[in-house]
């Protein structure tokens, strides 16, 4: 029986492809998870402050609200690829390098945190003010209103916001790959586009679509459960 060389080629092809795809997928998930966590550590308090200091809320302070709002708008209006380059010195001072997956996390957080702040602000403003007034009339402090009323009442919307933010960060990581940030974006550029490997580009796109669909479906399911 003659040796089928095409079978050996197929085995080698899929082995090489998996050798590239698996580490790149791990790098993308690492960047997305870490960046989203740190973005919420910064963005959640910012969003709460933007809400409670707005006119007519529990701690109105126009100066704080306008200052933070302006800062958030400035960072949100800057394209991520520009922030990626502009914060190279800061990134290098924080992590010691400006290349790689860990280095990409710094501009990812800087870009995602203002987005998180606005998402949180939008979610908290959906809470009817009558519920807040009822808590205040019973002697609740501003801190108690935030912890016992605002956040619990908006939890379903906040969960959807986490899903939306995570999906946005996934898009940012793909752009980070264009400047050596690692992950699936870097794989698609270095091995797919530069080497004319359409198959690698298609596989990376499929993996990103699967990740996005999984996150969105999970976020929707959790939010629906919390709503009920």
């Amino acid at each position: 029986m003659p040796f089928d060389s095409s079978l050996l080629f197929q085995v080698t092809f899929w082995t090489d492809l998996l050798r590239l795809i698996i580490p790149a997928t791990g790098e993308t998930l690492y960047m997305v998870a870490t960046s989203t966590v740190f973005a919420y550590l910064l963005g959640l308090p910012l969003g709460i402050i933007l809400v409670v200091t707005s006119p007519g809320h529990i701690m109105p302070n126009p100066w704080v609200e306008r200052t933070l709002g302006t800062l958030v708008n400035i960072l949100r209006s800057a394209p991520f690829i520009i922030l990626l380059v502009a914060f190279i010195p800061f990134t290098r001072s924080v992590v010691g390098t400006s290349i790689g997956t860990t280095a990409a996390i710094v501009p990812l957080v800087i870009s995602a945190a203002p987005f998180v702040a606005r998402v949180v602000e939008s979610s908290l403003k959906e809470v009817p003010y009558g519920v807040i007034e009822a808590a205040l009339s019973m002697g609740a402090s501003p801190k108690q209103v935030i912890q016992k009323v605002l956040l619990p009442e908006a939890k379903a919307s906040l969960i959807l916001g986490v899903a939306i933010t995570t999906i946005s960060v996934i898009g940012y990581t793909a752009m980070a790959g264009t400047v050596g940030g690692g992950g699936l974006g870097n794989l698609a550029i270095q091995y797919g586009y530069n080497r004319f490997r359409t198959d690698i580009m298609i596989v990376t796109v499929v993996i990103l679509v699967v990740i996005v669909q999984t996150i969105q479906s999970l976020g929707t399911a959790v939010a629906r459960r919390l709503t009920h």
Side-chain angles (χ1 to χ4, degrees):
M1 182 176 181
F3 176 72
D4 189 354
S5 60
S6 64
L7 180 61
L8 179 60
F9 172 78
Q10 292 176 11
V11 172
T12 305
F13 167 78
W14 286 108
T15 301
D16 291 342
L17 189 60
L18 288 175
R19 181 175 56 84
L20 295 172
I21 290 293
I22 292 176
T25 303
E27 289 175 353
T28 293
L29 294 177
Y30 163 67
M31 286 190 290
V32 170
T34 307
S35 301
T36 302
V37 169
F38 279 103
Y40 262 86
L41 289 177
L42 295 175
L44 181 61
L46 283 177
I48 293 173
I49 294 172
L50 285 171
V51 172
V52 300
T53 58
S54 61
H57 219 277
I58 58 175
M59 299 173 63
N61 191 321
W63 185 86
V64 172
E65 195 262 345
R66 282 197 300 265
T67 303
L68 283 182
T70 301
L71 177 62
V72 167
N73 289 337
I74 290 173
L75 291 175
R76 282 194 64 195
S77 62
F80 174 69
I81 195 68
I82 294 178
L83 289 177
L84 190 64
V85 176
F87 280 92
I88 283 178
F90 178 71
T91 301
R92 190 178 291 115
S93 67
V94 172
V95 298
T97 180
S98 59
I99 300 175
T101 53
T102 301
I105 290 173
V106 176
L108 283 170
V109 172
I110 294 173
S111 182
F115 181 82
V116 170
R118 288 304 186 189
V119 169
V120 170
E121 179 188 20
S122 177
S123 298
L124 296 183
K125 284 186 174 180
E126 293 177 4
V127 178
Y129 196 73
V131 179
I132 300 172
E133 286 182 325
L136 291 173
S137 66
M138 290 186 288
S141 65
K143 181 180 179 181
Q144 290 173 326
V145 170
I146 293 170
Q147 293 178 339
K148 305 295 185 181
V149 179
L150 280 177
L151 294 177
E153 288 292 324
K155 58 187 177 182
S157 181
L158 289 172
I159 291 296
L160 286 176
V162 172
I164 294 171
T165 301
T166 306
I167 292 170
S168 298
V169 172
I170 291 173
Y172 294 158
T173 62
M175 285 186 280
T178 63
V179 292
L184 291 170
N186 182 68
L187 178 65
I189 295 297
Q190 297 297 328
Y191 289 89
Y193 179 77
N194 291 339
R195 301 187 183 185
F196 305 102
R197 290 289 300 273
T198 306
D199 53 339
I200 291 180
M201 295 191 68
I202 291 174
V203 171
T204 55
V205 170
V206 169
I207 293 175
L208 287 172
V209 169
V210 170
I211 294 174
V212 167
Q213 289 296 325
T214 301
I215 292 172
Q216 186 62 64
S217 299
L218 182 62
T220 302
V222 174
R224 187 181 298 116
R225 186 185 183 105
L226 290 176
T227 300
H228 292 313

